[in-house]
Amino acid sequence: MAIQLVTTAAQLRAASARLLAQKGGTSQGLVPTMGALHEGHAQLARTAVAQNDVVVASIFVNPLQFGEATDLERYPRTLEADLALLDAEGVDLAFAPSVEEVYPGGAPLVRITAGPLGEKWEGASRPGHFDGALTVVAKLLHYGTPGAGLPGGGHPAYRAYFGQKDAQQLALVQRMVADLNFPVEIVPVPIVRSADGLALSSRNRFLSEDQREAALVLSRALRLIEERANAHEPLDIDSAQDLVRSQPLVELDYFEVVDPRTLEPLAENCRDTPFRGEGLAIIAAKVGPVRLIDNAPLKS
């Protein structure tokens, strides 16, 4: 069955209920996106389809999480191609609402606040970004709730899928769902990379050939830290930071090893003593006009 496009919350709920009934479904998955889809999004959709009877993918460019109007305007809109990708992966419903549908009274007066977890790293570089992101994610999680209960009573299982590339956003969504008792399971999906190691991003299309080549230093530096962690060696993150700074086309914002749940920097001794335990190496840098983020989970 071809993917069905809906543009209002009422249409989404009705279509969800109908599909759950038709399939005798007991589970529904949601894949929230801002469009401009690539293989990373395809992996999100693929995972959701494998785990659920009905899958919804949202396509909405959220104005609340853009600091500058020019960034919002230039964000790529590729709805036709996005629908084709989702259809090929077996997604049942595409929810592509207008800004007026999501924010009918204009910019919302009441918003989700990311709190201290949202004020560091990306939050420090992009003030207010996570408040806007969590506000729309909260709304999308409500929209994507299964539209019908089970015939014998109860509710279908409900899961939402987020990529691990946006590690801080993932941590914040998990925290929001736990703190505010959202009835949904958050499923992390590993980073998808191109053959040369660059983490896939909708913004990569804005890189020139030289800039894209320069951007590979991010994944090389992360691999260096990962190899040291796997070998139980000191992480020596200072030398990895120097590797990134040696690339003139790359402007490093931050590169740190943090606790994967709290995002607090790990003890300084992991820099010069053998790494033990669990961590997350996170990096952000500007390459030409494009801000890139990446990360690598560490376990020893």
Side-chain angles (χ1 to χ4, degrees), residues 123-136:
S125 298
R126 305 168 68 187
H129 168 73
F130 286 120
D131 291 355
L134 289 182
T135 297
V136 81

Side-chain angles (χ1 to χ4, degrees), residues 2-238:
I3 191 170
Q4 180 182 348
L5 174 64
V6 295
T7 58
T8 70
Q11 291 171 351
L12 176 58
R13 186 165 184 83
S16 164
R18 184 175 62 256
L19 283 170
L20 285 166
Q22 288 174 355
K23 295 186 173 187
T26 61
S27 60
Q28 182 161 302
L30 172 69
V31 180
T33 84
M34 290 209 302
L37 305 186
H38 50 64
E39 178 57 28
H41 298 101
Q43 184 60 38
L44 291 173
R46 208 172 292 135
T47 305
V49 168
Q51 296 180 358
N52 299 279
D53 299 307
V54 174
V55 174
V56 178
S58 63
I59 301 171
F60 179 67
V61 182
N62 178 34
L64 296 191
Q65 64 195 77
F66 287 84
E68 297 181 11
T70 53
D71 290 339
L72 174 61
E73 290 169 4
R74 81 167 186 163
Y75 191 88
R77 274 82 164 173
T78 57
L79 181 59
E80 188 174 337
D82 294 344
L83 293 175
L85 181 147
L86 296 171
D87 189 32
E89 297 301 336
V91 172
D92 300 287
L93 293 168
F95 177 50
S98 65
V99 173
E100 292 72 26
E101 173 70 16
V102 177
Y103 303 120
L109 298 181
V110 176
R111 309 184 185 196
I112 299 290
T113 300
L117 188 58
E119 294 171 357
K120 59 190 72 173
W121 311 123
E122 284 303 287
S125 298
R126 305 168 68 187
H129 168 73
F130 286 120
D131 291 355
L134 289 182
T135 297
V136 81
V137 168
K139 292 175 78 72
L140 291 170
L141 291 175
H142 288 311
Y143 292 145
T145 302
L150 299 176
H155 301 281
Y158 181 30
R159 307 178 182 96
Y161 296 79
F162 290 83
Q164 290 181 337
K165 185 176 79 70
D166 296 303
Q168 189 170 4
Q169 174 177 277
L170 173 60
L172 281 162
V173 170
Q174 290 172 321
R175 191 73 256 170
M176 177 182 74
V177 164
D179 288 349
L180 301 183
N181 302 104
F182 278 58
V184 60
E185 176 189 355
I186 301 302
V187 181
V189 178
I191 295 172
V192 177
R193 300 182 181 276
S194 59
D196 57 14
L198 187 66
L200 297 188
S201 169
S202 301
R203 292 180 171 86
N204 288 352
R205 69 189 67 198
F206 297 123
L207 295 169
S208 70
E209 186 175 340
D210 288 344
Q211 290 164 349
R212 194 185 190 290
E213 181 66 27
L216 297 178
V217 75
L218 275 66
S219 56
R220 287 203 302 272
L222 287 171
R223 280 200 306 273
L224 182 61
I225 294 295
E226 197 172 10
E227 288 166 0
R228 290 170 178 170
N230 291 340
H232 311 295
E233 296 175 353
L235 299 185
D236 188 14
I237 195 168
D238 294 335

Side-chain angles (χ1 to χ4, degrees), residues 225-282:
I225 294 295
E226 197 172 10
E227 288 166 0
R228 290 170 178 170
N230 291 340
H232 311 295
E233 296 175 353
L235 299 185
D236 188 14
I237 195 168
D238 294 335
S239 68
Q241 291 171 341
D242 289 342
L243 172 63
V244 178
R245 293 191 179 102
S246 71
Q247 173 49 255
L249 296 181
V250 176
E251 181 183 346
L252 181 64
D253 182 354
Y254 60 79
F255 187 4
E256 191 55 84
V257 178
V258 300
D259 181 288
R261 287 162 291 275
T262 67
L263 301 184
E264 289 292 334
L266 293 185
E268 287 295 316
N269 65 4
C270 71
R271 293 173 180 264
D272 50 25
T273 60
F275 177 77
R276 291 288 186 273
E278 188 179 6
L280 181 71
I282 57 174

